[in-house]
Amino acid sequence: MRVIIEPNYDKMSKWAANYVAKRIIEANPTPEKPFKLGCPTGSSPLGLYRELINLYKAGEISFQNVITFNMDEYVNLPEDHPESYHSFMWTNFFSHIDIKKENVHILNGNAKDLVAECEAYEAAIEAAGGIDLFMGGVGPDGHLAFNEPGSSLSSKTRIKTLTTDTIIANSRFFDGDLSLVPTQALTVGIGTVMAAKEVLLVCNGHHKARALKHIIDGEISHKWTASMLQMHPHSIVVCDEPACDELTVGTYKYYLDKERGNL
């Protein structure tokens, strides 16, 4: 696991965006061999998306030959609802770049058969040749996508009932009204993310400090599902200083030294 520590959220987002752009450019994607990018939602990746948009507007990157697969979507929330992840992605990213609509894949939380929808999603990822780079955020309890504490570390795309903590956390997007927050979601599994060739996780803020400690400095556990990234051969965690508040001094200095080339 590679850990990048940046002073603040903006610099963290810029580093992450530059890395993603570099990977896409190096792949030199074509219609016959597109780059497959996994996409998260939530507040953490907003800066990452803004920086990728800036790189596109500057003419440094194109998404014409990029195929995306989103991590998750609420169940029984209309796609055009302002808090659906369909709306989130088009509002904050897709509508600002040159991606083709047919190359965007987001789980359908309104499908008649949700189990079949999840199975078809996994099949679509496999048919595309797998994810080249899966971007992700992390919750305060260390969850990745909607793989909350207790989730199987080998799980695939499936239906998940959301915990009370997640519903309370997400209520900020629904005017604080818990009754408006969906109680279920469709989500890729930890196994789905681990199957990607590369994973990049962004983690910011003091409220994520305990999660970061468990992810990079603790034991692998289903209680902190993102800790499974310790087992990925090409995983990167990009964080800001406040997220490092609970790391040991030794761990903090170790990762800084590695990026300075001293180790």
Side-chain angles (χ1 to χ4, degrees):
M1 176 183 285
R2 183 181 179 188
V3 178
I4 305 297
I5 301 171
E6 291 292 327
N8 53 52
Y9 177 77
D10 289 340
K11 290 188 176 181
M12 176 200 80
S13 300
K14 187 180 287 290
W15 193 99
N18 285 335
Y19 186 86
V20 172
K22 177 185 176 183
R23 280 290 183 256
I24 295 173
I25 293 167
E26 286 176 344
N28 191 26
T30 64
E32 296 74 28
K33 190 178 180 182
F35 188 91
K36 287 85 66 180
L37 183 67
C39 296
T41 55
S43 56
S44 294
L46 283 173
L48 165 57
Y49 288 144
R50 283 195 295 268
E51 293 297 335
L52 285 173
I53 291 166
N54 289 339
L55 290 171
Y56 162 70
K57 290 182 175 179
E60 296 183 31
I61 187 173
S62 170
F63 295 87
Q64 279 279 328
N65 295 315
V66 172
I67 294 178
T68 63
F69 288 90
N70 257 73
M71 281 189 158
D72 40 32
E73 178 58 289
Y74 288 118
V75 168
N76 292 332
L77 194 68
E79 286 187 7
D80 60 357
H81 189 285
E83 296 305 329
S84 77
Y85 291 153
H86 279 76
S87 294
F88 177 96
M89 291 305 301
W90 285 101
T91 298
N92 294 296
F93 189 36
F94 294 149
S95 64
H96 304 282
I97 58 176
D98 62 344
I99 194 165
K100 298 173 182 176
K101 189 172 183 178
E102 62 268 25
N103 285 348
V104 171
H105 298 82
I106 305 176
L107 283 155
N108 179 8
N110 297 287
K112 290 183 180 180
D113 188 334
L114 295 176
V115 173
E117 170 68 12
C118 293
E119 291 174 349
Y121 203 72
E122 283 284 340
I125 292 174
E126 184 176 349
I131 306 288
D132 292 306
L133 173 59
F134 223 135
M135 303 181 292
V138 61
D141 60 1
H143 74 256
L144 181 59
F146 275 123
N147 296 284
E148 297 176 317
S151 295
S152 167
L153 298 181
S154 62
S155 55
K156 297 294 185 177
T157 303
R158 67 209 186 285
I159 310 166
K160 285 289 291 182
T161 298
L162 307 184
T163 65
T164 299
D165 285 345
T166 295
I167 291 171
I168 291 172
N170 288 357
S171 67
R172 70 189 189 275
F173 302 118
F174 294 84
D175 297 323
D177 189 340
L178 296 180
S179 68
L180 297 179
V181 185
T183 58
Q184 288 187 314
L186 303 184
T187 180
V188 298
I190 294 298
T192 312
V193 176
M194 290 293 290
K197 295 180 179 70
E198 193 168 10
V199 182
L200 183 147
L201 190 75
V202 290
C203 181
N204 64 286
H206 174 76
H207 63 302
K208 303 286 182 70
R210 185 163 300 173
L212 184 67
K213 176 183 178 181
H214 283 277
I215 291 167
I216 70 173
D217 208 18
E219 297 179 355
I220 296 171
S221 171
H222 65 281
K223 294 180 181 179
W224 303 86
T225 55
S227 65
M228 189 60 175
L229 292 182
Q230 293 178 33
M231 295 294 292
H232 198 285
H234 301 289
S235 63
I236 302 177
V237 176
V238 191
C239 54
D240 63 5
E241 289 280 357
C244 297
D245 286 350
E246 294 201 21
L247 295 181
T248 64
V249 173
T251 296
Y252 176 81
K253 288 186 175 181
Y254 171 78
Y255 284 113
L256 284 179
D257 283 345
K258 281 191 71 175
E259 291 308 312
R260 293 189 183 114
N262 293 333
L263 290 178

